[in-house]
Structures are given as C-alpha cells and as structure tokens.
Amino acid sequence: VHLLYEQARASDVVFLDGIKTAYYPAFSALEELLKGGCVGEAVDVEAPFTKLLPPGLPELSNDGSGGSMMWLSSYPLYAIARIMGVNPQSVSFYSRFNDEGVDIFTRGVLGYERGSASFKVGFGAKTDGSMVVTGTKGFVVVPAPWWNMRKFQVRFEDPTIIEEYEYELEGYGLRYEIEEFLRLIRAGTSMSDRLTETEGVFMAKVLGEFRGAE
C-alpha cells in the first residue's frame, strides 16, 4: 500500500482509496463538529462492521485473501484514524476462526496516549452497526449502518438534550467518490485530503499486524 502511494505521488496518477464513507457529506460534517468540540475531547471510538455470509464466497476464502479483517476493517479503521489519529501506542486482536482458519469475527482494540478505540468486523457473527464517539462533554451516535452515514445525534448528560443532524445521501455514495476524483484532477493533485497517505499506511499497518499475529 505504501508503495502505491509513493508511485502515485511520483507520477501524474490520481490515487483515490475506495472507502466511500470518506467522501460522504455526513462524515465530513461529523468531523467538523468534533473538531469544534461538540462533545469536548474525543476519548474513544467504537466502530463495528459485520454482516453474515454463507460459506463458499470469496470473502471466506482460505487462500490468504479472505476473512473479516481483509474485507471489512478498512472502514472502521478509517473512522478511527480520522477521529483518534494514526499513532496508537498498542494494538491487540481477539478473533474467532472457522475450520479453514479464516477469521469470521475479529475485535480490535487500539490504545492511544489520551484515549482508545475499538472495532468489530465479522462475516460469521452479527452485532449492532452503530458507531459511538465518546467525548469529555457528551457523545455521538451514528445509527446503523454507520458506514452509509446519513445522520447522527449528539447527546449529553441531560438525556433531554439531543442535537440531530441529517444529510442527503444519493444512491450508495459512489457519486461522491467520483466528485472527489474530478476535484483532484481539476486541482492538479494526486492525493485527497479525505483519505491521506498517512491514513492509508496506518490501515495497512494494522492489517499487517493482524496477519502477523495469526
């Protein structure tokens, strides 16, 4: 992954990671609110992504290309990188594997100097798909499926105070990625600030640590 970024930077190639959530209006708005201190300082992120699949699909292949981490982890890791940063002090994994040795469920925990983050990915286990950002003054709830983000709530100690935000999402979000692609071409740059090289390398490193721990 790092090599791909370097090749894109050294040429006129536009390199755009295919994580659609990165280009959604709602995610951009959430980032701006968090940066503005809507819930104080963010101290934890919980970001799951699970869906049940039958055996025999490529996602569950035991040839080294299958597994929950390989297919699903980029989405929660992207959110974690944008909110908590790309420099965790520790990373640990807790997985369940099928008889072929493919991870059908993995929980990852990242420890930061001033907080933490966790994610759950799975093809053989199901959990709620909401994302929660814990802050020092309140918290954010992004309802399931958070990766197709259209709306979210900012909540506080007083349960009667709820700030609701909702944004239009046309189709399945591909148009927003295309719009960003065109913007990069017009701007004459090869990298998007919606998903940076540093964040891409971070996601690849976490996946690499998981593969090394298998």
Side-chain angles (χ1 to χ4, degrees), residues 144-201:
W146 73 263
W147 52 92
N148 285 332
M149 190 182 300
R150 299 171 184 267
K151 57 185 178 180
F152 56 86
Q153 293 182 337
V154 180
R155 302 181 182 180
F156 303 93
E157 181 68 21
D158 185 342
T160 66
I161 301 176
I162 300 177
E163 298 177 3
E164 297 188 358
Y165 299 85
E166 187 166 357
Y167 299 84
E168 184 177 1
L169 179 62
E170 297 187 17
Y172 293 96
L174 182 59
R175 63 163 295 176
Y176 301 103
E177 190 172 353
I178 294 173
E179 287 176 356
E180 178 67 3
F181 182 75
L182 294 175
R183 186 189 70 81
L184 294 179
I185 293 175
R186 289 193 294 266
T189 182
S190 60
M191 294 292 173
S192 172
D193 57 6
R194 295 306 310 155
L195 205 170
T196 67
E197 174 186 357
T198 302
E199 290 157 356
V201 171

Side-chain angles (χ1 to χ4, degrees), residues 7 98 134 143 164:
Q7 290 173 340
N98 63 14
T134 302
E164 297 188 358

Side-chain angles (χ1 to χ4, degrees), residues 15-148:
F15 191 86
L16 199 64
D17 274 311
I19 300 177
K20 291 184 291 185
T21 310
Y23 314 104
Y24 287 176
F27 193 88
S28 298
L30 172 61
E31 282 192 286
E32 289 301 314
L33 285 170
L34 289 173
K35 290 177 182 177
C38 67
V39 293
E41 180 183 356
V43 299
D44 185 73
V45 175
E46 300 172 70
F49 192 163
T50 63
K51 55 182 178 180
L52 297 178
L53 295 180
L57 295 178
E59 291 91 333
L60 294 171
S61 170
N62 63 354
D63 63 0
S65 64
S68 304
M69 281 291 293
M70 285 291 292
W71 284 78
L72 300 178
S73 65
S74 60
Y75 279 83
L77 286 174
Y78 171 74
I80 289 170
R82 298 293 289 196
I83 298 171
M84 297 302 299
V86 297
N87 296 304
Q89 296 180 320
S90 63
V91 182
S92 56
F93 307 98
Y94 307 88
S95 298
R96 177 165 179 166
F97 298 89
N98 63 14
D99 293 340
E100 288 73 41
V102 178
D103 74 297
I104 59 172
F105 177 80
T106 293
R107 180 173 186 263
V109 180
L110 294 80
Y112 288 83
E113 182 178 0
R114 296 178 61 83
S116 59
S118 64
F119 63 89
K120 298 175 184 177
V121 291
F123 288 135
K126 186 65 181 175
T127 190
D128 181 70
S130 301
M131 180 172 75
V132 178
V133 180
T134 302
T136 55
K137 296 181 180 179
F139 63 101
V140 176
V141 178
V142 185
W146 73 263
W147 52 92
N148 285 332

